[in-house]
Amino acid sequence: MRYDFDIIPERRDTDSLKWRKYDPDVIPMWVADMDFVSPAPVIQALRERVEHGIFGYPDGLGIESQTRPALQQLVVERMAERYHWHIEPADLVFAPGVVTATHLACHAVAGSGGVLVQTPTYPPLLHAAQTIGAINQQAQLRREGDGSYQIDWSSLTSAITPETRLFILCNPHNPVGRVFQPAELERLAEICLRHGVVICSDEIHSDLIYTGQRHTPIASLHPDIARQTITLIAPTKTFNLAGLQCAIAIIQNPELRQTYLQTRRGLVSWINLMGVLAAETAYREGQDWLEQLLVYLEANRDTLCEYVRRELPGITLAQPEATYLAWLDCRQARIEGNPYEFFLHQARVALADGALFGPGGEGFVRLNFGCPRAILIEALKRMQAALTPS
């Protein structure tokens, strides 16, 4: 089936957070939610389930059971095929979203100890420690002259203390768009293992990888790393299913998995029936849609990078290696005040405020290019006009 990603769906009267947050004349490019219709097989499966008309408790997704054979097998096969990572169905724990799964990891592992993140980073990861009453520990990524980001090993090791219990890795990284390479991941893991720190690896964007890059699950590198890692994945970003809230934690260490499961009690009772159905269908029948989407997103990314280079004076970015998010450095654009506020009021384009992503985010904005190209180009034209008024 051929999908047309140039179609602009009407979303303003559909309870869309993305499209309702701002005034109708504002183009919203802030939250990680694509403006594309999800794969046709997913829509059909949901339609058939709705027609059945009964929405009771789903079997295999409650506190007493974490067995969902169809979805488990699909995930096991997907990890083996894509990453040569061999896991078992019993390694999987379901959760209503990666953010929830991350906070469960913090509760299970950190307690009142330290949770370490690399900034700038996705705000729910940045604030996870504070949310559960743990110690918030941060190590800033190093920005190179070309706008790309590298791990600052000195900053990372200095940030680890005897209180550090959990390191939250974001790979691919949101917002800077890095795909960390195996050598980097091995060094990260070695540091964590040496200090007895458990890794919680947010890999929700792992399907959204561009030409020349390859995602490596950190737990796939060595059994010793796997024993100390909670890997979080979901089909929600990949197939534009975020509102259906279904994620999977892969935990190969039985003791760590049991601790994680116990943490769910009283907090997570059931996983969304429709979300699980959508996940199963997307993983089974959505690959054709995903392959076409990646071609379209890569063209959007290239259009964005070229437009910024030619038409947006003082703004720079490194080409994202993954995700549909671009991290724009506005510090040399001669913008008075906050660039988020500037583009919202002067261009009527809503971006994500870089300051919300922690140290290293001030003067930046994050732009979501997961939209029909006409919307992207219109937003860029508005930003260009605001930067170069006549």
Side-chain angles (χ1 to χ4, degrees):
M1 178 177 179
R2 185 67 184 171
Y3 291 95
D4 186 354
F5 296 102
D6 284 318
I7 293 174
I8 301 176
E10 178 53 59
R11 300 190 63 192
R12 290 196 184 276
D13 295 319
T14 61
D15 295 316
S16 166
L17 171 67
K18 178 179 183 178
W19 283 87
R20 290 184 65 174
K21 182 177 176 66
Y22 296 96
D23 293 336
D25 66 323
V26 173
I27 299 177
M29 311 190 82
W30 60 286
V31 71
D33 173 345
M34 293 188 289
D35 292 312
F36 302 127
V37 175
S38 296
V42 173
I43 297 169
Q44 181 60 30
L46 293 172
R47 182 179 291 118
E48 291 173 1
R49 191 67 183 80
V50 168
E51 287 299 321
H52 180 258
I54 299 176
F55 310 102
Y57 293 124
D59 183 37
L61 295 171
I63 285 296
E64 303 304 327
S65 174
Q66 279 287 298
T67 303
R68 189 72 178 182
L71 181 54
Q72 287 174 309
Q73 190 58 37
L74 286 165
V75 173
V76 167
E77 293 172 358
R78 192 175 186 85
M79 296 302 106
E81 292 169 3
R82 296 173 78 89
Y83 312 118
H84 306 292
W85 182 21
H86 299 288
I87 62 174
E88 299 296 330
D91 298 334
L92 308 184
V93 178
F94 301 107
V98 163
V99 171
T100 299
T102 301
H103 284 80
L104 288 172
C106 291
H107 278 291
V109 175
S112 60
V115 177
L116 176 61
V117 297
Q118 294 176 297
T119 66
T121 194
Y122 179 48
L125 305 186
L126 178 67
H127 300 298
Q130 293 164 280
T131 301
I132 72 151
I135 303 168
N136 189 322
Q137 299 177 312
Q138 300 174 6
Q140 193 167 323
L141 293 168
R142 186 179 73 247
R143 188 173 187 274
E144 305 292 357
D146 63 357
S148 65
Y149 283 80
Q150 302 294 331
I151 297 170
D152 187 326
W153 298 105
S154 176
S155 174
L156 181 71
T157 54
S158 297
I160 296 176
T161 70
E163 290 76 31
T164 308
R165 298 287 180 270
L166 186 72
F167 169 59
I168 300 178
L169 170 65
C170 188
N171 179 39
H173 193 279
N174 172 10
V176 307
R178 271 298 315 277
V179 175
F180 293 114
Q181 299 303 304
E184 295 174 289
L185 296 172
E186 287 173 356
R187 187 172 177 183
L188 275 172
E190 187 277 326
I191 292 170
C192 289
L193 266 62
R194 177 158 34 94
H195 289 89
V197 175
V198 172
I199 302 164
C200 177
S201 187
D202 173 359
E203 302 186 9
I204 194 171
H205 291 280
S206 57
D207 289 315
L208 301 170
I209 306 293
Y210 298 121
T211 302
Q213 301 296 327
R214 178 178 175 80
H215 173 70
T216 301
I218 191 169
S220 71
L221 292 171
H222 193 275
D224 289 344
I225 302 172
R227 278 191 289 271
Q228 205 153 313
T229 300
I230 298 169
T231 302
L232 306 179
I233 64 169
T236 48
K237 299 299 183 195
T238 305
F239 299 100
N240 207 28
L241 305 170
L244 293 178
Q245 293 289 285
C246 176
I248 303 113
I250 304 173
I251 312 173
Q252 293 176 277
N253 180 331
E255 292 181 3
L256 180 58
R257 185 169 63 250
Q258 187 58 37
T259 300
Y260 190 90
L261 282 166
Q262 288 296 324
T263 302
R264 296 171 77 254
R265 301 188 73 88
L267 296 175
V268 177
S269 297
W270 302 93
I271 311 303
N272 184 342
L273 170 66
M274 305 302 275
V276 172
L277 174 60
E280 291 178 359
T281 309
Y283 281 150
R284 186 188 307 111
E285 302 179 56
Q287 190 60 34
D288 182 47
W289 182 92
L290 176 57
E291 290 173 1
Q292 294 180 51
L293 171 75
L294 286 170
V295 172
Y296 193 90
L297 285 178
E298 189 160 340
N300 268 10
R301 180 202 64 175
D302 295 345
T303 297
L304 167 65
C305 291
E306 180 62 18
Y307 196 99
V308 169
R309 187 185 67 81
R310 290 188 297 104
E311 304 292 347
L312 301 187
I315 296 182
T316 58
L317 80 157
Q319 185 181 73
E321 299 170 345
T323 83
Y324 48 80
L325 307 166
W327 188 236
L328 277 60
D329 183 355
C330 305
R331 293 174 297 174
Q332 304 301 317
R334 298 182 180 179
I335 293 172
E336 290 188 12
N338 186 322
Y340 157 76
E341 296 284 351
F342 173 82
F343 286 119
L344 177 59
H345 297 299
Q346 302 302 319
R348 307 304 283 164
V349 175
L351 307 170
D353 185 353
L356 301 178
F357 293 76
E362 303 86 353
F364 288 75
V365 291
R366 192 191 70 176
L367 183 151
N368 173 358
F369 58 87
C371 60
R373 198 157 301 134
I375 294 178
L376 172 63
I377 292 172
E378 173 61 23
L380 291 172
K381 287 181 176 178
R382 291 188 185 191
M383 293 169 68
Q384 191 260 354
L387 287 169
T388 55
S390 55

